Amino acid sequence: MNQAHHTHDTHHSDLLHAGWQYIEKNSLEQFSPQDWQILQSQRDTYMREQQARQALRMLADSEHDSTFGYRVNNYRHSLQSATLALRDGLDEEDIVVCLFHDIGFITCPNSHGEFAAALLGNYVSERNRWMLKLHAIFQDAHARHHPSADLRARDRWLGHPHFEWAATFVERYDQAAIDPAYECAPLSHFEPLVMRV
């Protein structure tokens, strides 16, 4: 019994802060009201301090990934998108959205817009949530020789209050952000913006 407990202890993940407590139960069914209270108080601080860092790490982990044909990988595309927005004087939220708009492009290719909208949804405006969800459809307007592109797919949203932003985003900061010669700002430049947003 002691040996099993010792082995279990060696597999504990580190707590973020000294003074925090592990909930020493092996299923949620065993948690007491006090356990949930402890967990929630630690969770609030953890999320506040770690969410942006871990999102940045998700992107940073793709820095050296290969590409299937674009001349830049998704990491470089994301940096280029954010750098273009930065140099155009967009606000911090828009720059961060540019940085993360394709965060799910490889792992969730058919729903990567929804992935980005879910990741950023609690921290950005409805304008950006809407654009993130639909930007892949808006991109069809720029892919006239793609065999399955619907060049007029975005037209069903003509007149929507966020249509122009989505069209501008895709034209300026997405479909044209694949230039390997473009000098991007490093990811570290965007970290303070991500933390603030």
Side-chain angles (χ1 to χ4, degrees):
M1 187 72 157
N2 288 341
Q3 180 65 29
H5 184 67
H6 176 73
T7 302
H8 173 74
D9 283 348
T10 64
H11 290 96
H12 274 69
S13 298
D14 292 337
L15 289 167
L16 182 62
H17 290 292
W20 278 11
Q21 298 177 47
Y22 291 105
I23 307 303
E24 297 285 353
K25 311 280 174 60
N26 291 328
S27 76
L28 298 183
E29 292 176 345
Q30 299 171 348
F31 280 32
S32 70
Q34 294 83 4
D35 293 334
W36 285 112
Q37 187 176 21
I38 291 165
L39 196 66
Q40 189 59 49
S41 69
Q42 294 173 179
R43 175 189 170 109
D44 291 343
T45 301
Y46 185 91
M47 292 300 191
R48 191 169 49 254
E49 295 179 12
Q50 288 294 308
Q51 215 162 17
R53 286 185 179 92
Q54 292 191 25
L56 283 161
R57 194 163 65 237
M58 285 171 56
L59 185 58
D61 282 347
S62 68
E63 180 178 4
H64 301 291
D65 287 351
S66 57
T67 172
F68 57 87
Y70 291 113
R71 295 185 300 160
V72 298
N73 66 12
N74 195 53
Y75 176 82
R76 292 290 301 171
H77 168 64
S78 299
L79 284 182
Q80 190 171 149
S81 177
T83 303
L84 286 164
L86 176 72
R87 291 179 181 154
D88 279 357
L90 271 59
D91 67 25
E92 289 188 349
E93 178 184 309
D94 290 346
I95 294 167
V96 169
V97 164
C98 286
L99 185 66
F100 287 110
H101 76 280
D102 274 352
I103 189 73
F105 183 72
I106 304 302
T107 54
C108 301
N110 296 326
S111 57
H112 73 276
E114 291 90 347
F115 185 101
L119 178 72
L120 298 174
N122 291 332
Y123 309 101
V124 299
S125 63
E126 175 57 30
R127 167 182 167 267
N128 276 317
R129 281 191 298 275
W130 193 87
M131 179 278 292
L132 286 167
K133 286 179 188 176
L134 298 174
H135 77 274
I137 295 170
F138 274 64
Q139 198 173 62
D140 274 10
H142 301 277
R144 65 181 179 273
H145 298 300
H146 189 287
S148 63
D150 180 351
L151 302 182
R152 300 185 60 82
R154 70 184 191 177
D155 291 354
R156 73 186 94 166
W157 292 286
L158 275 169
H160 189 281
H162 308 311
F163 182 94
E164 289 304 320
W165 166 234
T168 298
F169 166 81
V170 168
E171 180 178 2
R172 178 79 182 125
Y173 308 111
D174 192 10
Q175 67 90 28
I178 54 174
D179 179 357
Y182 186 78
E183 192 64 38
C184 299
L187 184 58
S188 60
H189 182 87
F190 299 105
E191 288 176 8
L193 285 69
V194 174
M195 298 297 184
R196 287 193 290 270
V197 169

